[in-house]
């Protein structure tokens, strides 16, 4: 590449609440039909979480972004939906002038990647949706969505610490949940290192995305036309957690099976956000093979 992998060019598209900030790693001119631009993102995770992956994938330009309401973008308190995020992704692809791109979306970003691919299939060459926390095709859908709705209500009532403790308990819970899960005592924020005091803020993008992120009804017929250009991926160490089960259920709904990739839900990440590193080198090798 003509630009060093360590260099990046920060750009924006839109304004106000619709402002999206993204970083171009490498030179867009080095993209080719078999090595197109890779758009990598999460939700609510911002671009920082994808830096280690971008550094490993030095055979193509990589674009990382802060999703709506996160990172360097304006904050707010209104709910956000996968459909809004899909429109944001389309605007970024248009601004890049690089369609079709390859897409890697993780967690809530995987849900948004599915919404984007259904709405704008011409934007994408291949899509890898890594562990989307979708309840839609799971047998305990109603319990999961009730838990997500309760999370939203807890956040509005009690603030970040209490809601975050509930969130961590939910995403770590193994296997199918029954109605008894909804009746158990709320976890203590202190058990997760969270403050119990309410600071009054209500602009956390994690909770602004709930429960719409988890309840998205996919256009299975439209996504099915992508064939093997759409891959659901699940971490080898993720077990039967919500997001891993979501990935497998979406793959089955589309008539296939999820591909196993290294690590867990954060397998692609370096050492960021005060968390230990995943397996970014191994993950990048697996992703490169999937993208072809």
């Amino acid at each position: 590449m003509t630009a060093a992998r360590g260099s990046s060019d920060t750009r924006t598209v839109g304004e106000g609440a619709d402002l999206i900030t993204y970083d171009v790693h490498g030179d867009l001119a080095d993209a080719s039909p078999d090595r197109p631009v890779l758009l990598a993102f999460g939700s609510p995770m911002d671009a920082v979480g994808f830096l280690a992956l971008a550094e490993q994938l030095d055979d193509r330009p990589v674009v990382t972004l802060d999703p709506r309401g996160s990172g360097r973008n304006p904050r707010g308190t209104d709910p956000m939906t996968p459909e809004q995020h899909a429109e944001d992704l389309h605007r970024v692809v248009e601004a890049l002038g690089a369609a079709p791109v390859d897409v890697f979306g993780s967690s809530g970003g995987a849900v948004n990647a599915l919404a984007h691919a259904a709405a704008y299939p011409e934007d994408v060459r291949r899509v890898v949706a890594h562990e989307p926390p979708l309840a839609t095709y799971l047998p305990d859908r109603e319990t999961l969505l009730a838990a997500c709705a309760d999370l939203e209500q807890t956040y509005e009532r009690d603030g970040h610490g209490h809601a975050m403790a509930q969130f961590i308990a939910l995403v770590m819970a193994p296997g199918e949940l029954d109605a008894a899960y909804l009746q158990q005592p709320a976890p203590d924020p202190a058990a997760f290192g969270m403050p119990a005091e309410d600071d009054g803020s209500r602009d956390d993008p994690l909770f602004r995305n709930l429960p719409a992120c988890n309840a998205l009804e996919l256009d299975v017929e439209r996504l099915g036309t992508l064939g093997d250009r759409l891959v659901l991926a699940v971490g080898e160490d993720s077990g039967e957690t919500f997001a891993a089960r979501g990935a497998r259920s979406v793959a089955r709904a589309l008539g296939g099976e999820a591909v196993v990739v290294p690590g867990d839900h954060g397998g692609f990440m370096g050492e960021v956000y005060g968390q230990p590193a995943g397996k970014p080198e191994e993950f990048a090798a697996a992703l490169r093979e999937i993208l072809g």
Side-chain angles (χ1 to χ4, degrees), residues 4-258:
R5 175 48 77 189
S7 67
S8 64
D9 176 21
T10 299
R11 307 180 184 184
T12 62
V13 61
E15 57 186 22
D18 295 326
L19 180 74
I20 301 297
T21 305
Y22 61 98
D23 302 305
V24 178
H25 305 267
D27 191 336
L28 291 175
D30 290 329
S32 64
D34 61 342
R35 291 290 185 276
V37 171
L38 173 66
L39 188 59
F41 53 89
S43 181
M45 182 183 288
D46 61 24
V48 173
F50 295 83
L51 290 178
L53 187 66
E55 290 172 359
Q56 292 293 328
L57 295 169
D58 58 0
D59 62 337
R60 66 176 73 212
V62 177
V63 173
T64 57
L65 64 84
D66 294 345
R68 174 179 291 258
S70 295
R72 296 159 290 182
N73 297 329
R75 308 281 282 198
T77 57
D78 291 338
M80 298 185 291
T81 68
E83 290 83 3
Q84 284 179 300
H85 289 292
E87 291 298 322
D88 295 338
L89 293 169
H90 176 60
R91 289 190 295 120
V92 171
V93 173
E94 279 195 319
L96 290 169
V101 301
D102 283 347
V103 168
F104 171 70
S106 184
S107 193
V111 176
N112 299 339
L114 292 167
H116 171 241
Y120 298 102
E122 68 279 3
D123 279 359
V124 300
R125 186 190 74 135
R126 289 194 169 88
V127 179
V128 179
H130 176 243
E131 300 203 1
L134 269 179
T136 312
Y137 304 103
L138 290 171
D140 51 341
R141 166 193 170 114
E142 297 307 319
T143 302
L144 287 165
L145 292 182
C148 291
D150 187 51
L151 270 171
E152 181 188 29
Q153 293 162 14
T154 298
Y155 181 59
E156 291 299 325
R157 183 182 64 245
D158 301 324
H160 181 269
H162 289 274
M164 197 67 193
Q166 279 186 231
F167 173 78
I168 295 171
L170 176 62
V171 299
M172 291 178 62
E176 187 173 335
L177 304 184
D178 58 24
Y181 179 87
L182 302 174
Q183 306 304 319
Q184 65 185 7
D188 181 359
F192 299 98
M194 301 287 172
E197 296 77 17
D198 183 359
D199 65 5
S201 66
R202 294 296 184 272
D203 62 356
D204 190 314
L206 172 61
F207 302 108
R208 292 176 62 200
N209 280 298
L210 298 179
C213 171
N214 314 98
L216 180 66
E217 296 284 348
L218 296 176
D219 189 334
V220 173
E221 182 176 352
R222 194 166 173 86
L223 287 173
T225 64
L226 294 174
D228 60 6
R229 294 163 54 203
L230 172 59
V231 174
L232 275 296
V234 61
E236 62 185 352
D237 300 324
S238 293
E240 291 298 316
T241 51
F242 180 7
R245 294 195 298 126
R248 296 187 188 102
S249 71
V250 173
R252 289 193 293 270
L254 293 170
E257 297 293 331

